[in-house]
Amino acid sequence: MTIASERRGNVMTADAFVARSEIFRRVLDQVHRLARSGTAPILLEGESGTGKTLLARYLHDVSPRSARPFHSVVLSTLDDSLASSDLFGHVAGAFTDARRSRTGHFVASQGSTLLLDEIGKASRSLQGKLLHAIEYNEVTPVGSDVCVHVDVRIVAATNVPLSLLVDQEQFLPDLAARFGYFRIVVPALRDRKADIPELVEQCVVRHAAEFGYTSVPVVSSDLISILQLAPWPTNLRGLDSAVQYLLANANGYHELQTRHCVGPLEHIVQDPQAHRVGQSIEHTAALVAELGTISAAAKALGVPRSTIQRRLKKSDQSGPHQVIPEEYGPVEAKAEPLATM
């Protein structure tokens, strides 16, 4: 599942992302600031399925290196015995079957960006070699005595915090320290509830034709409210799969409804506590505060503005809540201070 549906030419743009939630707007702001930071390695940390690879591509596209192709490698897929060859290259005759020289990912990424995905699963031996490459901007192909200078912006991604892996003695502290300042935490989908209605719409548009729809179906407000409350442990990938399942169950019907939540999705509609939370006064007040306007909250929940206003009135009677009036417009994202190296 991706969180972007549009590219201009070969370049990803900010309007390709759904970022109604303040937490994700801050992430995009941080990506922009760090993309300008030169060659400092960047860490994307977040659960599986949150869109780290897509953000890495976007970071490359808004960086001074965007004219060069983006490169990526999933470290967990590399055979440990051949990982050095894959990353740093080898010369002919370096080992059995090395009939000719090979350019590794680092050299192939000269002047560009290289994503090291699942860096937390790299072996300790490989971590040491990565540390040297990042520290000194050079690699040594397997079987060679000559170092090759590389000019590569490294972006690493992990679904397990490196600090935790360091505590468990599974990751080199020195390598983790190289990403200590330039770190972006990608939020889980459950923390981006305000983005879910538009993300669902993107998924429906993307997959409707695959399931035989001649026109794009709408999604009922009740179903949107329920989808906003689901835990989504697999994040964006899980949401995408769920929407495809809903399209299949609706069987061409013009509207996706809660009654189409059968089989693996039954638990979503059968959780009365989740439903009560979705309709709660506190949830509504918090959503208005997050999105900045009553209209935005009404659209996110799929209810009339009058319903939001009625809940906010009850909220005021039950206790003080900071709610932003309609006339002030959306909340602007506040950039967090960036530490310097």
Side-chain angles (χ1 to χ4, degrees):
M1 161 68 186
T2 64
I3 55 175
S5 59
E6 298 178 5
R7 293 174 72 92
R8 292 177 183 168
N10 292 320
V11 179
M12 189 176 296
T13 58
D15 58 4
F17 291 88
V18 175
R20 290 187 178 275
S21 62
E22 184 174 355
I23 190 172
F24 199 70
R25 281 184 286 175
R26 288 180 177 179
V27 166
L28 290 182
D29 178 69
Q30 195 177 12
V31 166
H32 275 270
R33 287 184 289 125
L34 298 192
R36 301 191 299 266
S37 63
T39 60
I42 293 175
L43 178 68
L44 299 175
E45 204 170 81
E47 297 176 10
S48 295
T50 49
K52 298 185 293 297
T53 299
L54 197 64
L55 278 173
R57 290 180 180 274
Y58 177 60
L59 188 151
H60 169 74
D61 285 346
V62 297
S63 78
R65 298 172 178 267
S66 60
R68 301 281 296 172
F70 173 82
H71 294 261
S72 66
V73 57
V74 181
L75 297 184
S76 63
T77 65
L78 300 182
D79 185 285
D80 198 41
S81 63
L82 297 176
S84 293
S85 172
D86 287 327
L87 290 172
F88 312 126
H90 66 253
V91 297
F95 50 85
T96 305
D97 295 331
R99 297 183 178 87
R100 55 184 178 180
S101 298
R102 175 182 179 179
T103 299
H105 288 286
F106 271 78
V107 175
S109 303
Q110 285 279 23
S112 186
T113 304
L114 173 60
L115 170 63
L116 301 177
D117 201 1
E118 298 187 15
I119 192 172
K121 296 182 180 179
S123 67
R124 296 278 288 195
S125 173
L126 184 58
Q127 289 173 33
K129 295 173 183 177
L130 289 172
L131 175 60
H132 179 90
I134 294 172
E135 191 78 32
Y136 297 102
N137 298 314
E138 65 179 24
V139 298
T140 303
V142 177
S144 174
D145 296 326
V146 180
C147 294
V148 179
H149 176 77
V150 290
D151 173 22
V152 180
R153 152 59 68 80
I154 297 297
V155 179
T158 178
N159 58 11
V160 180
L162 293 188
S163 58
L164 177 60
L165 295 177
V166 169
D167 290 342
Q168 296 174 347
E169 299 184 350
Q170 297 179 24
F171 203 83
L172 293 177
D174 288 346
L175 182 54
R178 293 299 299 156
F179 300 99
Y181 288 94
F182 291 81
R183 170 174 167 267
I184 299 173
V185 178
V186 185
L189 184 56
R190 61 182 172 275
D191 297 323
R192 297 177 55 194
K193 288 182 170 56
D195 295 334
I196 287 179
E198 195 168 337
L199 287 167
V200 170
E201 181 180 351
Q202 283 189 352
C203 294
V204 171
V205 170
R206 182 163 52 249
H207 295 297
E210 301 173 22
F211 290 88
Y213 288 80
T214 55
S215 61
V216 178
V218 298
V219 185
S220 73
S221 59
D222 288 344
L223 180 55
I224 285 292
S225 297
I226 288 173
L227 295 177
Q228 284 184 293
L229 297 165
W232 301 119
T234 53
N235 295 291
L236 297 166
R237 292 194 191 103
L239 181 65
D240 188 70
S241 296
V243 170
Q244 292 186 61
Y245 191 70
L246 286 165
L247 287 167
N249 290 337
N251 196 28
Y253 194 64
H254 66 88
E255 183 180 59
L256 304 185
Q257 301 176 346
T258 56
R259 64 187 176 90
H260 299 131
C261 291
V262 297
L265 296 179
E266 286 181 352
H267 70 282
I268 295 178
V269 295
Q270 291 177 353
D271 185 351
Q273 181 179 0
H275 187 68
R276 285 198 300 271
V277 171
Q279 302 300 322
S280 70
I281 296 170
E282 292 79 7
H283 173 76
T284 301
L287 192 61
V288 172
E290 179 185 356
L291 296 182
T293 69
I294 292 173
S295 295
K299 181 178 180 180
L301 291 176
V303 298
R305 289 182 70 255
S306 58
T307 300
I308 302 295
Q309 292 170 327
R310 184 169 61 252
R311 293 180 189 173
L312 293 182
K313 184 176 181 181
K314 293 180 180 178
S315 175
D316 291 338
Q317 294 171 351
S318 62
H321 293 274
Q322 184 180 4
V323 177
I324 301 173
E326 180 73 24
E327 59 267 25
Y328 289 143
V331 176
E332 293 295 327
K334 296 180 176 60
E336 299 175 347
L338 176 64
T340 56
M341 297 190 71

